[in-house]
Amino acid sequence: MAKAPVIAVVGSASMDLTCYADVLPQAGQTLYGNQFTTGFGGKGANQAVMAALAGANVYMVGSIGNDLFGKSLEENFKNRKVNSEHIKISDLPTGVAHIWVDAQGQNRILIVPGANHDFNESHAAQAVASIPELSIVLGQCEVPQSVTTAAFVAAKKRGAITIFNPAPYQVLSPDLLSVTDWLIPNEVEFEEFVGAAPTSESLSQFRPGKNSIVTLGDKGAVLISEDGALTSIATTKVQAVDSTGAGDCFIGSFSFAIASGLDAKSAAEFACRIAALSVTRKGAQSSYPTAAEISTLS
Ligand code: RIB
């Protein structure tokens, strides 16, 4: 059996507090919802758990609070076989995300980062430098960019591939972009980044000399190679009930596939199949397929 590829995720881990309702309230309005759940989330943790489910040996680098949510998140990492030795236990409360999901499966999310913002550059860089046989480092925008930049610099020093998911969107520092091999925004983040909707022209001019992917929800994804060539990746048509964490599911699966030696097109196709399945179920990590299901999607 091939050795599991090693992936580090420098990012957030949060508790998701989710309300499902047919119609979401406007300002000043009170409505009834259908269901409330607590679930494991945070973009970093979601990507880490997905990569581990796919078969990677995953290390989470981040920070959680010394509270009940933090203890539960730690237990979840253990159950999901994600290494948590580089997670700081902070005096700040564990991060939370308040999520509303409507009848079409579309969400609105408000994040309170708490402990996710309480770890620093040297913590992240030292963790990345010390993880044995590391092939990929993943980052997102729910921890400070300076911390991700330090982790990516350490990753590049040892020849690891860096993948950045600019979510939720922020203006990205040139330092971070210069050490990012793969940039993977969704279509909204792409538009915020370039100031134009994703068209053949705007996509082919995105980051010349570097690889990128723009995820397009139920329209799949588009792969942009270093020379600007575009490859459309189709996805399976499904009945969506909750899109929360689908982007993270794509990134975690894609990273595992690339680290396992698949070419970019096959890796993106694999990731689209897994992300499509995830939107048919509620929650973020709770919607991700099991290892047995993944083997039928490979
Ligand atoms: O991408 C989905 C995630 O965004 C949720 O799990 C929530 O924690 C927010 O960070």
Side-chain angles (χ1 to χ4, degrees), residues 12-20 24-25 37 39-44 46-47 95-102 105-113 116 141-142 165 167-169 186 189 192 242-249 282-285 287-288:
S12 58
S14 302
M15 191 59 90
D16 287 353
L17 311 173
T18 306
C19 287
Y20 295 87
L24 301 180
T37 61
F40 299 109
K43 293 182 193 300
N46 295 346
Q47 295 173 15
V96 291
H98 279 237
I99 305 177
W100 286 355
V101 182
D102 68 18
Q106 296 297 322
N107 61 36
R108 287 162 190 228
I109 304 180
L110 196 58
I111 296 161
V112 182
N116 287 312
C141 289
E142 288 184 346
N165 170 222
Y169 185 74
N186 67 17
E189 292 144 8
E192 286 174 299
D242 185 356
S243 61
T244 307
D248 304 327
C249 182
K282 287 184 172 172
Q285 292 172 34
S287 71
Y288 295 170

Side-chain angles (χ1 to χ4, degrees), residues 88-229:
K88 173 182 170 179
I89 306 298
S90 163
D91 290 334
L92 295 180
T94 298
V96 291
H98 279 237
I99 305 177
W100 286 355
V101 182
D102 68 18
Q104 285 70 46
Q106 296 297 322
N107 61 36
R108 287 162 190 228
I109 304 180
L110 196 58
I111 296 161
V112 182
N116 287 312
H117 282 194
D118 187 31
F119 70 116
N120 63 23
E121 292 77 4
S122 64
H123 171 125
Q126 276 169 26
V128 166
S130 71
I131 295 167
E133 298 179 63
L134 184 64
S135 4
I136 289 189
V137 180
L138 293 183
Q140 326 72 31
C141 289
E142 288 184 346
V143 301
Q145 280 186 39
S146 58
V147 172
T148 311
T149 306
F152 278 17
V153 168
K156 296 311 300 167
K157 259 189 206 152
R158 56 181 298 186
I161 296 169
T162 55
I163 300 181
F164 191 70
N165 170 222
Y169 185 74
Q170 293 170 357
V171 174
L172 301 179
S173 83
D175 287 350
L176 175 54
L177 286 169
S178 72
V179 283
T180 298
D181 296 319
W182 286 87
L183 187 64
I184 311 188
N186 67 17
E187 55 196 314
V188 175
E189 292 144 8
F190 174 88
E191 193 160 345
E192 286 174 299
F193 189 98
V194 301
T199 60
S200 304
E201 205 188 348
S202 62
L203 287 163
S204 62
Q205 288 167 8
F206 189 53
R207 294 182 82 224
K210 299 250 192 185
N211 292 302
S212 303
I213 295 178
V214 179
T215 58
L216 304 169
D218 61 4
K219 297 186 287 307
V222 58
L223 191 62
I224 311 167
S225 62
E226 292 170 341
D227 62 359

Side-chain angles (χ1 to χ4, degrees), residues 222-243:
V222 58
L223 191 62
I224 311 167
S225 62
E226 292 170 341
D227 62 359
L230 304 181
T231 308
S232 289
I233 311 292
T235 190
T236 328
K237 290 279 167 242
V238 291
Q239 183 69 45
V241 299
D242 185 356
S243 61

